[in-house]
Amino acid sequence: MWYGLCADLVVGIHLAYVAYVIFGQLLIIAGAALKWQWVRNPWFRYTHLLAIAIVAVEAIKGWPCPLTVWEGQLRELAGQTFNGSESFMGKLLHDLLFFDNVPQLALDVGYVATMVLVLQGLIMYPPRWFRTGTRSEAVAPAEYPAGAVATA
C-alpha cells in the first residue's frame, strides 16, 4: 500500500513539473504583453529554462524520464500496473499526465519545440538582472523664486 501511495506522490510531483513548464511559459507570454515585471525574475526564467532543457535532452538522447521510471518501479512493488492506481487521485493524476496512442516522436518534437519557444522568450523578453549597489538619492527640485511658476 505504501508503495502505491509513494507512486501517487511521484506522479503528482511529475505533474507539478509539467505544469511549471507549461503554465510558466503561458505566464511569461502574458507577462510580456502586460508588462508584468515579476516574470522577468532571473531565478524564475532560468529554472524554467533548465526544467524544459532537461526534458528536451532526455527526448533527444532517448532517455526515459527518471520520474516515470521511478513511478513504474513503485507501482511494480505495489503490485499495480503502470497505468493503474488503487487511489482516485493517483489514477486522475496519472491520466492527466500520460496519453494513450500518442507516438513518442510527436512527444519528443513537442518537448524540443517547447524548449525553442522558451529560448525565444528569453531573447525577446529577457530577464532583468538584479540591481547592485545603492539606489541614487532622488534629487530635490530646484527652488523657484516666490511667485514664479515652473513650466515643464
Side-chain angles (χ1 to χ4, degrees):
M1 173 169 166
W2 288 109
Y3 290 120
L5 291 175
C6 288
D8 293 347
L9 178 64
V10 169
V11 77
I13 292 168
H14 199 168
L15 188 62
Y17 187 96
V18 171
Y20 178 67
V21 171
I22 292 172
F23 292 116
Q25 185 60 33
L26 292 175
L27 288 171
I28 290 167
I29 291 169
L34 299 172
K35 305 291 187 213
W36 294 340
Q37 290 301 307
W38 69 267
V39 297
R40 297 186 70 190
N41 181 306
W43 289 104
F44 169 59
R45 297 296 292 279
Y46 291 123
T47 58
H48 184 254
L49 174 64
L50 179 64
I52 191 59
I54 290 169
V55 174
V57 167
E58 288 172 357
I60 291 167
K61 295 285 190 175
W63 297 337
C65 175
L67 292 172
T68 304
V69 171
W70 195 14
E71 180 198 354
Q73 292 170 344
L74 288 168
R75 295 235 183 264
E76 185 178 322
L77 289 170
Q80 301 172 357
T81 61
F82 178 70
N83 59 358
S85 174
E86 293 178 3
S87 73
F88 171 75
M89 285 307 294
K91 178 106 175 99
L92 177 68
L93 295 175
H94 186 87
D95 290 347
L96 284 172
L97 191 58
F98 296 101
F99 301 103
D100 294 334
N101 303 323
V102 177
Q104 187 62 43
L105 180 62
L107 294 172
D108 293 345
V109 168
Y111 302 147
V112 174
T114 304
M115 189 182 82
V116 170
L117 179 66
V118 171
L119 284 171
Q120 178 260 342
L122 277 172
I123 294 167
M124 291 188 69
Y125 192 63
R128 77 170 184 287
W129 296 101
F130 293 115
R131 294 181 187 104
T132 59
T134 60
R135 290 181 121 181
S136 61
E137 295 295 321
V139 178
E143 295 279 334
Y144 293 103
V149 177
T151 58

